[in-house]
Amino acid sequence: NPCTVGDTCAAKACQPGKAKVCDDANPCTVDYCDAVAGCKALAVPIGCDDGSACTDVDVCKDAVCKGQNIDCDDGNPCTDDGCAPAKGCSHAAVADKTACGGVGICVAGGCSIGSAINPAPSCLAIAQAFDKIGVVAKSDVYTLDPGGVGGEDPFTAHCEMAADGGGWTLALKVDGGKNTFLYDDALWTSKNALTPEKSAFDKTEAKLPSFWRVGFSTMRIGFEMGGVQRWIVIDAKAASLYDVLVTDTYAAFTTAAGRSAWKSLVPGATLQNNCNREGFSNRVNGSHAAIRIGLIANEQNDCGTPDSRIGFGGRSNVCGIDPNMAVGNAAGCGGDNGDKSIKATFGWIYVR
């Protein structure tokens, strides 16, 4: 009998020994002993453990224990994901300064702020973070989330990282050929975005969420005319552009840039000689020259009846100036370079 072991002869007869133990050490078989063929193994589709920490849902198939490979991807582009059968998943940091998240770089196994997976509070915060690791941040579109987790959704905005000290967050792009951003347009005093997906530095008109979500102490203003861009930097502090404009109340800049600086934005610029008041919601009454962000001037030695302006968001046709001017310069009744209206092709406002 092949199913016994230790058989012996006694009293002239073969006496069976102990029953043979059939065990092929395979968890995927049921072992038994056939009286004719001896030990046999029957494959069965049951759960099993293949002994690897890199698989789960192990099952028997064709007498072999096989599991499904587990997913070790931690979603972090700054780690090299792997798996060892004895230990399971591993996530080793890749080399510092490896590119990640489109515009970020890896630092100690994490993607730097400003990437889609790690939004930054502002472009200035990105510039400062890169500076700490000895890397110059490039001017590009970054992902920002000033309020952090739990607040409004992250958004994208162009960050100017080279000019005028860098760290500038784009807030507004104004097309001088359109009337979208005249003084009385509701976009100046609302939290409604305009084409926020058009967040690159280009000539597509847009009002980005940074308009109401990014605080600042300086502004960088640019005009384009004749294919040439001209820029000035202004000391002006506010919780956001929205916060300083929503009440439609005049607010002076922290430090005036001066009429010469403003005129440098427009070739052939013209302004009346007096007043020269700069600020936000810059108006004195409902009929004379007004500007949302910029400078107004007057021919009298006061600011009571201004007939000239330069900046963003113009209003009034007093003395024949163009009332439909979203960005540019206009003067009537005694401009120092003649009475005329000069629209800029395009304008940008960055904050920092």
Side-chain angles (χ1 to χ4, degrees), residues 27-28 45 65 121-123 125 142 154 156 158 161 179 197 208 225 233 257 260 265-266 308-310 314 327 334 345:
C28 293
C65 185
S122 68
C123 295
Y142 291 80
T156 59
H158 183 263
M161 297 300 196
N179 294 334
E197 71 281 2
L208 306 181
M225 299 183 67
V233 173
S260 295
L265 294 170
V266 179
S308 56
R309 49 175 157 76
I310 186 168
V327 54
T345 305

Side-chain angles (χ1 to χ4, degrees), residues 141 156-159 169-182 187-188 193-211 220 222-223 229 231 241 293 312-313 326-327 345-351:
V141 174
T156 59
H158 183 263
C159 295
T169 303
L170 180 61
L172 192 67
K173 300 188 290 180
V174 178
D175 189 333
K178 297 180 179 180
N179 294 334
T180 311
F181 286 97
L182 299 181
L187 283 169
W188 288 109
L194 175 69
T195 59
E197 71 281 2
K198 303 297 185 180
S199 54
F201 173 58
D202 57 23
K203 288 184 280 188
T204 302
E205 196 166 58
K207 174 188 170 188
L208 306 181
S210 45
F211 187 94
R220 184 172 183 260
F223 285 9
Q229 295 172 15
W231 298 85
L241 285 170
I293 300 175
F312 292 85
V327 54
T345 305
F346 211 88
W348 300 266
I349 298 179
Y350 284 82
V351 296

Side-chain angles (χ1 to χ4, degrees), residues 100-112:
C100 62
V103 293
I105 59 172
C106 295
V107 181
C111 196
S112 60

Side-chain angles (χ1 to χ4, degrees), residues 6 8 19 23 50 57 77-78 89 98 106 120 150 187 198-199 216 225 254 270 275-276 284 286 295 311 316 330 352:
T8 60
D23 183 2
D50 65 1
V57 195
C78 294
C89 290
T98 299
C106 295
L187 283 169
K198 303 297 185 180
S199 54
F216 59 92
M225 299 183 67
T254 306
T270 182
C275 178
N276 297 309
V284 294
L295 179 149
S316 176
R352 182 180 68 190

